Amino acid sequence: MANPASSPLRPGAVIGILGGGQLGRMTAIAAAHLGYRSHVFCPDADAPATHVTSRATIAPYEDEAALAAFAAAVDVVTIEFENIPLTAAQFLAARVPFHPDPAILSICQNRLREKEFCGKIGVPTTRYTSVTDAASLAAAVADMGSPCVLKTAEMGYDGKGQVAIAADTDLGAAWAGMAQAATGAGAILERYVDFRLEVSVIVARGSDGARQTFVPVENQHKHHILDQTIVPARAPAKALDKAEGIARHMAAEIGLVGLLAIEMFVTGDGEVLVNELAPRPHNSGHWTLDACVTSQFEQLVRAIAGLPLGSTEPLADAVMKNLVGDDVASASTHLNDPRAKLHLYGKTEARPGRKMGHVTRINPKY
Ligand SMILES: Nc1ncnc2c1ncn2[C@@H]1O[C@H](COP(=O)(O)OP(=O)(O)O)[C@@H](O)[C@H]1O
Ligand SMILES: [Mg+2]
């Protein structure tokens, strides 16, 4: 059900952003375009989002005095990183409008809760089960059959905390490998999906219940990290319609105000299975900065500020490539392509696997 629309934030109001990474940085830039100020809260002094905001609180997410002062200094809070402690989100939500709701974060922080939620609202996923130790892993693999994928239930990203399981995998070692990344929240065993391609859909929903989806895009991963996003996705129209329908349905059912990114597998026979949710801007939506009427970051700001949502019509076909680790060394060569739009996140240290920037090649339709 739609909530009553709240009155829009006035120009000059302050948007609080939990998390200091590139997603927060690009959200703050979008907020500035609409006349808002941003105040970032994050633990790292040199975080990318702090470079573009005049206000930042550098403190641990557990620091209640800092959280209380932050709540008093902002008009609304959003997140750029869903793995902030839930207690911090709840603490803030009791003091200041907070979108998306902490209950949504709680679902998206845990792969088991995500898939249970999908099941509850009739959205298909791969077969899965909860595992809590090496013995329950062995029983689950015997029941499910291989291949399958073991993942830590919480705090996994970019393939961290995941182990592929084949018929001859040593399950004791697999459990130990996963447990290194686990946080004590247990694990999920998923049936391996022999997918044709991976797609994602980002959906925005305002406090009045209005929804807008960005077109489904195709995601290609390298070493479990997003490498390229191809716009639009090269999948049958029927599957893409299904993916968009799932996104719209999920946004309403989860009670979203803000953005929800949904990663999905499209199988050879056109089935669409939800893999993962992120209640925030998503790497696969960076192309919208350069090739869409409204960017995902502007859309987030509009949704949480009580403004009408913008059009999500694409202006061009596009391919977004992440610049990961050492890729950034040759970033300037992309500038030789006049249709390449380079975005660097201001990170000084190019550690392996670290997202340093991205480049979007656009192919305007006219
Ligand atoms: N059940 C699965 N079947 C096939 N491939 C999978 C499965 N789960 C994950 N993968 C592959 O691993 C990638 C990363 O997994 P994901 O669940 O998205 O975790 P994260 O992105 O948080 O690391 C996916 O994009 C996909 O390529
Ligand atoms: Mg993923």
Side-chain angles (χ1 to χ4, degrees):
M1 220 185 57
N3 299 318
S6 44
S7 56
L9 279 190
R10 69 192 187 286
V14 183
I15 294 182
I17 301 172
L18 282 181
Q22 62 270 15
L23 302 175
R25 175 182 175 103
M26 291 183 272
T27 301
I29 292 170
H33 279 297
L34 288 168
Y36 297 124
R37 296 158 194 238
S38 295
H39 184 146
V40 170
F41 188 113
C42 66
D44 323 307
D46 192 35
T50 64
H51 303 171
V52 302
T53 56
S54 58
R55 299 157 196 215
T57 299
I58 309 302
Y61 295 117
E62 292 77 15
D63 182 341
E64 291 200 343
L67 287 170
F70 175 69
V74 302
D75 295 287
V76 63
V77 176
T78 193
I79 55 150
E80 65 105 46
F81 169 62
E82 66 272 30
N83 286 323
I84 50 151
L86 197 60
T87 46
Q90 289 162 335
F91 182 91
L92 290 169
R95 289 162 176 78
V96 63
F98 189 107
H99 304 299
D101 193 274
I104 299 176
L105 301 193
S106 165
I107 292 172
C108 299
Q109 284 177 349
N110 182 295
R111 295 185 193 277
L112 283 160
R113 286 201 287 271
E114 277 179 352
K115 291 208 164 59
E116 278 158 18
F117 178 74
C118 288
K120 208 172 80 187
I121 64 166
V123 166
T125 66
T126 190
R127 195 177 151 196
Y128 70 94
T129 188
S130 161
V131 293
T132 49
D133 52 28
S136 65
L137 173 63
V141 173
D143 183 47
M144 193 179 288
S146 49
C148 41
V149 187
L150 177 67
K151 302 177 183 177
T152 169
E154 295 189 356
M155 297 299 278
Y157 68 97
D158 290 344
K160 290 187 176 63
Q162 293 194 22
V163 186
I165 306 234
D168 59 355
T169 300
D170 174 342
L171 297 181
W175 179 260
M178 191 284 312
Q180 273 189 341
T183 52
I188 183 171
L189 183 73
E190 297 180 4
R191 178 87 195 154
Y192 180 81
V193 181
D194 186 16
F195 56 81
R196 176 170 154 187
L197 78 166
E198 291 188 77
V199 300
S200 56
V201 176
I202 299 171
V203 56
R205 185 169 177 272
S207 56
D208 60 354
R211 286 168 295 176
Q212 284 280 356
T213 51
F214 291 93
V215 295
V217 299
E218 176 178 340
N219 298 320
Q220 297 180 341
H221 296 83
K222 236 189 218 169
H223 313 297
H224 296 284
I225 301 175
L226 182 65
D227 175 45
Q228 289 204 123
T229 294
I230 298 167
V231 188
R234 296 166 300 178
K238 230 173 147 177
L240 299 181
D241 285 351
K242 231 187 251 181
E244 252 185 273
I246 286 172
R248 295 178 67 82
H249 178 55
M250 294 199 88
E253 290 293 327
I254 211 166
L256 179 71
V257 174
L259 294 185
L260 182 68
I262 303 161
E263 297 178 15
M264 297 175 249
F265 299 123
V266 179
T267 65
D269 51 12
E271 237 190 310
V272 177
L273 304 172
V274 167
N275 174 41
E276 229 197 340
L277 309 177
R280 52 162 170 80
H282 193 258
N283 197 166
S284 70
H286 290 359
W287 68 276
T288 60
L289 285 165
D290 299 306
C292 193
V293 174
T294 308
S295 79
Q296 61 166 344
F297 304 101
E298 176 178 344
Q299 199 75 305
L300 171 61
V301 173
R302 284 172 175 251
I304 64 170
L307 301 174
L309 298 180
S311 161
T312 51
E313 288 161 285
L315 299 170
D317 290 350
V319 177
M320 187 283 315
K321 184 160 178 26
N322 269 338
L323 302 175
V324 177
D326 283 343
D327 291 350
V328 74
S330 54
S332 63
T333 60
H334 296 290
L335 295 171
N336 295 324
D337 175 352
R339 285 181 165 175
K341 306 299 286 184
L342 178 65
H343 298 256
L344 296 176
Y345 307 148
K347 299 179 185 177
T348 45
E349 203 190 327
R351 292 193 290 271
R354 193 173 195 209
K355 291 174 180 169
M356 305 298 291
H358 71 269
V359 59
T360 303
R361 283 201 168 67
I362 61 174
N363 186 10
K365 288 173 179 160
Y366 58 89

